């Protein structure tokens, strides 16, 4: 498969000044400032194939946005190379700008005082989309997202979910081959979230668009991204299939137990990692090979009325990776 | 319908400005209060001076200057600093970096669109005021003068946009900037003659002010209209405006280039 994005040994350092708490330190800082370097992105390499949907995950401040900014040409890296469809992003060639777009859930690109249709039309002119294509795309996308009647409504009067859908249309009007989605479902209700997810899935399948998605909602990632790249403190801690995030680590299962009588925590602790406990209910992480033995003990020694054995959630696996690498 | 992105930006700017028409009329109204204060102040000054001229202005000329300058300053001063600085501070600039459009071109076309209606209304008000003052004081303003005034005021608007655009670039280096613009806009308003005619500041300051572009914003067009400046001085002034527009285009280009380098993380 042709690769859309090639990132090699990407590094970005930011310089900043040390600030200490207290009046005296503040005064001192006026005359003497200590310069520090923060390694926001530290030797990151990965490649993404054309048409792939990749979840880009990491805790706040991990270097996700910095990486996305370098991929889209907003920031120059300190060192390393990036190749996006044959272009070096920070050269900011006009042809490069034509092939991608960014959607940010936190930042609107629409004019709040005007109908969304006007902002979409402005984008059409900026990207010089031919009239016929424009009309076809607009019809298709607005119908898919069910906002056709709202194109003439002032953006200020739209609901949050409706506005997000308009953002999507505005950034897809030139049919980009590559999309950077930065938390596109933030602040949306469940129905709108689902609509946005379904739409993105459709768009990816229909146009074979390459998508990089960051989100803190696991549902977004699980629904859309077969592959995940986890970044923490500026380095990649996991790159591979999303489903295998757990098996990648030590193999464990989650046993959930309900008791008919009050049970003490101490007795449970010897079987594994107790995640939750309130006397009548417990969640315990147990190594896979010990599940059988542990279950026998539980059923034999405790007043168990109900139980389930589950895979660890992906979320749990990700949290572990974050902690483990921090 | 046109398909040029900058023309569309202009049209969108125009449309969105219509949303704020009430705001605009309020700001015109707010210009009336200092006008009244100044009217009484100058009336008192001239009554006590005992002379016919103060700072080279007769009483009528001074009143005319004060009133016209107040409206012209509403028309010329751009107030775009905060929104551009906001783009720089909060990353709104990113959107223009990744799209095939020039930020400067986009800003100036949407700015002209946003101001067009207010510009026309203010111009009508100024012409009406001139007419009223003329009848009141039985003066006469030649048509030619009005035409040159219109030309100079258009140049003033462009000049004012460029000055603001250059000042905005400070947001690339300063992190706390909101009060900075309060200071600069006050200074600019003063140095451009928006409050008093420049003669008030005395010979030395006036000479410094004449070396700066600001007096072309308000002082010059108002005095063209009121007849204080005449003959070849008018054309010298228009030339001065043109020269400053070219100079400021250069300055804007340079400071924004430096600023963008910093913004994009190239250091500097």
């Amino acid at each position: 498969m042709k690769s859309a994005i090639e990132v090699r040994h990407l590094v970005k350092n930011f310089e900043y000044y040390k600030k200490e708490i207290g009046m005296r330190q503040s005064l001192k800082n006026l005359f003497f400032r200590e310069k520090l370097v923060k390694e926001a992105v530290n030797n990151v390499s990965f490649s993404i194939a054309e048409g792939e949907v990749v979840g880009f995950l990491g805790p706040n401040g991990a270097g996700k946005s910095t990486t996305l900014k370098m991929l889209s040409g907003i920031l120059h890296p300190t060192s390393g190379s990036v190749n996006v469809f044959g272009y070096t992003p920070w050269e900011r060639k006009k042809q490069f700008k034509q092939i991608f777009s960014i959607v940010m859930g936190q930042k609107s690109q629409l004019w709040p005082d005007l109908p969304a249709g006007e902002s979409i039309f402005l984008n059409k002119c900026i990207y010089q989309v031919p009239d016929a294509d424009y009309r076809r795309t607009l019809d298709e996308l607005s119908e898919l997202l069910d906002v056709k009647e709202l194109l003439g409504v002032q953006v200020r009067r739209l609901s949050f979910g409706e506005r997000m859908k308009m953002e999507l249309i505005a950034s897809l009007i030139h049919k980009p081959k590559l999309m950077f989605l930065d938390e596109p479902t933030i602040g949306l209700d469940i129905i709108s979230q689902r609509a946005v997810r379904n739409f993105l899935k459709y768009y990816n399948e229909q146009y074979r668009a390459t998508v990089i998605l960051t989100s803190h909602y696991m549902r977004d990632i699980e629904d859309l991204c077969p592959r995940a790249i986890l970044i923490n403190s500026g380095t990649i801690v996991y790159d591979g299939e999303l489903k295998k995030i757990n098996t990648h680590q030590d193999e464990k299962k989650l046993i959930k137990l309900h008791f008919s009588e009050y049970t003490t925590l101490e007795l449970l602790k010897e079987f594994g990692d107790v995640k939750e406990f309130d006397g009548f209910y417990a969640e315990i992480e147990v190594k896979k090979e010990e599940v059988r033995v542990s279950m026998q003990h539980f059923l034999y020694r405790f007043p168990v009325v109900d139980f389930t054995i589950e895979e660890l959630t992906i979320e749990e696996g990700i949290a572990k990776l974050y902690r483990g690498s921090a | 319908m046109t398909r040029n992105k900058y023309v569309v930006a202009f049209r969108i700017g125009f449309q969105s400005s219509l949303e704020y028409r009430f705001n605009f009329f309020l700001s015109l109204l707010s210009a009336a209060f200092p006008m009244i204060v100044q009217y009484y102040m100058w009336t008192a000054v001239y009554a006590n001076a005992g002379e016919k001229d103060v700072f080279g202005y007769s009483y009528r000329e001074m009143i005319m200057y004060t009133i016209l300058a107040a409206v012209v300053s509403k028309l010329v001063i751009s107030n775009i600093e905060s929104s551009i600085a906001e783009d720089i501070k909060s990353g709104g600039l990113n959107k223009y970096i990744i799209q095939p459009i020039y930020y400067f071109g986009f800003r100036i076309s949407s700015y002209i669109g946003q101001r067009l209606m207010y510009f026309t209304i203010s111009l009508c008000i100024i012409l009406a005021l001139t007419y009223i003052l003329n009848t009141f004081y039985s003066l006469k303003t030649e048509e030619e003068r009005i035409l040159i005034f219109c030309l100079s005021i258009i140049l003033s608007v462009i000049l004012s946009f460029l000055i603001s655009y250059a000042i905005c670039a400070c947001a690339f280096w300063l992190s706390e900037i909101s009060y900075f613009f309060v200071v600069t806009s006050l200074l600019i308003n003063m140095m451009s003659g928006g409050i008093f005619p420049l003669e008030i500041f005395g010979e030395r300051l006036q000479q410094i002010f004449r070396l700066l572009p600001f007096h072309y914003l308000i002082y010059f067009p108002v005095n063209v209209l009121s007849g204080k400046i005449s003959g070849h001085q008018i054309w010298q002034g228009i030339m001065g405006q043109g020269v400053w527009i070219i100079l400021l285009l250069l300055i804007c280009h340079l400071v924004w280039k430096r600023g963008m380098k910093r913004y994009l993380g190239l250091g500097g």
Side-chain angles (χ1 to χ4, degrees), chain A residues 54-58 64-65 68 180-185 212-217 220-221 225:
Chain A
V54 176
F56 205 53
L57 310 176
K64 287 180 311 224
S65 331
L68 283 188
F180 299 112
L181 299 163
D182 195 0
E183 302 194 48
T185 55
I212 296 186
L213 171 73
T214 77
S215 178
H216 291 295
Y217 292 113
D220 289 354
I221 307 288
C225 312

Side-chain angles (χ1 to χ4, degrees), chain B residues 91-106:
Chain B
L93 217 53
N94 293 349
K95 174 173 123 188
Y96 303 94
I97 294 173
I98 61 155
Q99 286 191 335
I101 189 166
Y102 291 105
Y103 186 67
F104 179 79
F106 174 79

Side-chain angles (χ1 to χ4, degrees), chain B residues 5-186:
Chain B
K5 51 194 162 194
Y6 298 105
V7 179
V8 175
F10 164 83
R11 186 169 60 80
I12 285 185
F14 181 75
Q15 277 171 281
S16 74
S17 75
L18 297 180
E19 284 293 314
Y20 294 96
R21 39 187 187 255
F22 184 64
N23 196 27
F24 169 71
F25 288 117
L26 271 185
S27 86
L28 270 186
L29 198 66
S30 75
F33 293 106
M35 243 187 251
I36 294 166
V37 172
Q38 285 216 34
Y39 173 81
Y40 283 112
M41 190 191 87
W42 287 120
T43 308
V45 168
Y46 277 88
N48 290 315
E51 294 166 44
K52 224 174 138 272
D53 282 10
V54 176
F55 303 114
Y57 283 75
S58 71
Y59 173 67
R60 287 171 183 179
E61 283 174 332
M62 188 60 91
I63 297 299
M64 197 152 165
Y65 183 94
T66 311
I67 293 175
L68 291 178
V71 185
V72 168
S73 77
K74 283 283 163 218
L75 189 159
V76 167
I77 300 296
S78 66
N79 291 324
I80 49 163
E81 288 95 339
S82 50
S83 64
I84 294 184
E86 181 64 22
D87 271 351
I88 295 172
K89 283 290 129 209
S90 69
L93 217 53
N94 293 349
K95 174 173 123 188
Y96 303 94
I97 294 173
I98 61 155
Q99 286 191 335
I101 189 166
Y102 291 105
Y103 186 67
F104 179 79
F106 174 79
R107 268 287 172 187
I108 198 164
S109 9
S110 81
Y111 173 71
I112 295 171
Q114 276 173 39
R115 302 291 294 185
L116 186 64
M117 193 185 66
Y118 305 146
F119 183 84
T120 321
I121 293 173
S122 308
L123 207 58
C124 292
I125 290 174
I126 290 167
L127 295 180
L129 277 174
T130 318
Y131 179 76
I132 292 166
L133 289 167
N134 277 344
T135 15
F136 201 66
Y137 293 128
S138 53
L139 297 166
K140 183 165 167 33
T141 311
E142 305 89 356
E143 285 81 16
E144 196 195 2
R145 203 174 268 292
I146 291 174
L147 284 178
I148 298 171
F149 166 75
C150 290
L151 171 66
S152 75
I153 201 89
I154 289 170
L155 293 175
S156 297
V157 170
I158 298 171
L159 194 57
S160 156
F161 176 86
L162 292 175
I163 290 173
S164 301
Y165 196 77
I167 290 175
C168 290
C170 293
F172 285 116
W173 290 275
L174 303 175
S175 49
E176 270 314 318
I177 199 135
S178 53
Y179 218 77
F180 177 77
F181 289 139
V182 177
V183 175
T184 54
S185 71
L186 262 173

Side-chain angles (χ1 to χ4, degrees), chain A residues 74 76 107 113 131 154, chain B residues 3 19-20 90 97 264 266:
Chain A
I74 294 168
H76 272 248
K107 200 151 286 165
D113 301 318
D131 284 1
Q154 228 181 7
Chain B
R3 298 286 181 263
E19 284 293 314
Y20 294 96
S90 69
I97 294 173
L264 300 167
L266 285 167

